[in-house]
Amino acid sequence: DAKTTQPNSMESNEEEPVHLPCNHSTISGTDYIHWYRQLPSQGPEYVIHGLTSNVNNRMASLAIAEDRKSSTLILHRATLRDAAVYYCILRDRYGNKLVFGAGTILRVKS
Amino acid sequence: GAVVSQHPSWVICKSGTSVKIECRSLDFQATTMFWYRQFPKQSLMLMATSNEGSKATYEQGVEKDKFLINHASLTLSTLTVTSAHPEDSSFYICSARDRGANQPQHFGDGTRLSIL
């Protein structure tokens, strides 16, 4: 599986946008970019995924670079409930397993 | 939305006991389920892929005789930690993926296992 690189931690103020970066320079043409997050003492939660075009859903937006070697998860207005570890993972369209890296710890200040 | 239920949420037992953890997909059929373990302040580590009606596929370094996986139906997979010891204490998490290509995985809320 191609690897991703994320910052260890980031901090944001409540009600401000948050941009979480992810580098994946060895991404293949069939790899989808998936984002999950994990709140303390819970299982991970699916956030969003995409292939080439930017994606939006009720939770977040995913901006994918034109060369697909990097992507950014955007939380439009951070709340205290968004404090979590965010994982950026590559997975082939027909791939099964998700391999988790270290992720980014997001801290949200009130 | 898709829900994966994991039971029990936590268990404390004596060393040498075998512990069974259940993972159910509540509103979809999952031919494939996954089992992870997570130590404090670490990321999730994939232990095995559970395939309905066939043997599980274990990741390198995971003892298949220690962690028994059964996936007898499209909605239920079980992980049994046999003869558990204190070093097996961890947070165990299951996940399942709905049928079809490129579906997201849905995770249970995890089972915190403490072996005394």
Side-chain angles (χ1 to χ4, degrees), chain A residues 52-69:
Chain A
T52 55
S53 303
N54 294 343
V55 184
N56 300 297
N57 66 20
R58 63 174 181 82
M59 289 182 70
S61 294
L62 177 60
I64 302 172
E66 199 168 326
D67 64 3
R68 300 209 326 125
K69 293 186 176 182

Side-chain angles (χ1 to χ4, degrees), chain A:
Chain A
D1 298 305
K3 292 192 68 175
T4 63
T5 304
Q6 299 177 252
N8 290 333
S9 64
M10 291 184 66
E11 202 167 75
S12 169
N13 293 317
E14 199 175 10
E15 310 232 335
E16 290 186 358
V18 181
H19 291 232
L20 296 164
C22 180
N23 287 321
H24 28 78
S25 59
T26 60
I27 190 170
S28 74
T30 56
D31 283 338
Y32 279 74
I33 302 159
H34 288 251
W35 283 83
Y36 287 77
R37 71 180 186 181
Q38 186 179 24
L39 279 65
S41 298
Q42 294 186 25
E45 173 186 28
Y46 167 76
V47 178
I48 200 167
H49 74 284
L51 182 63
T52 55
S53 303
N54 294 343
V55 184
N56 300 297
N57 66 20
R58 63 174 181 82
M59 289 182 70
S61 294
L62 177 60
I64 302 172
E66 199 168 326
D67 64 3
R68 300 209 326 125
K69 293 186 176 182
S70 65
S71 61
T72 302
L73 179 71
I74 303 167
L75 306 180
H76 296 285
R77 286 182 65 205
T79 69
L80 297 177
R81 292 183 69 247
D82 291 321
V85 181
Y86 286 79
Y87 298 97
C88 169
I89 305 169
L90 302 183
R91 197 186 79 184
D92 184 85
R93 174 179 170 85
Y94 294 101
N96 264 327
K97 57 186 180 182
L98 290 174
V99 178
F100 286 77
T104 297
I105 299 171
L106 174 65
R107 298 183 178 89
V108 180
K109 298 185 298 183
S110 59

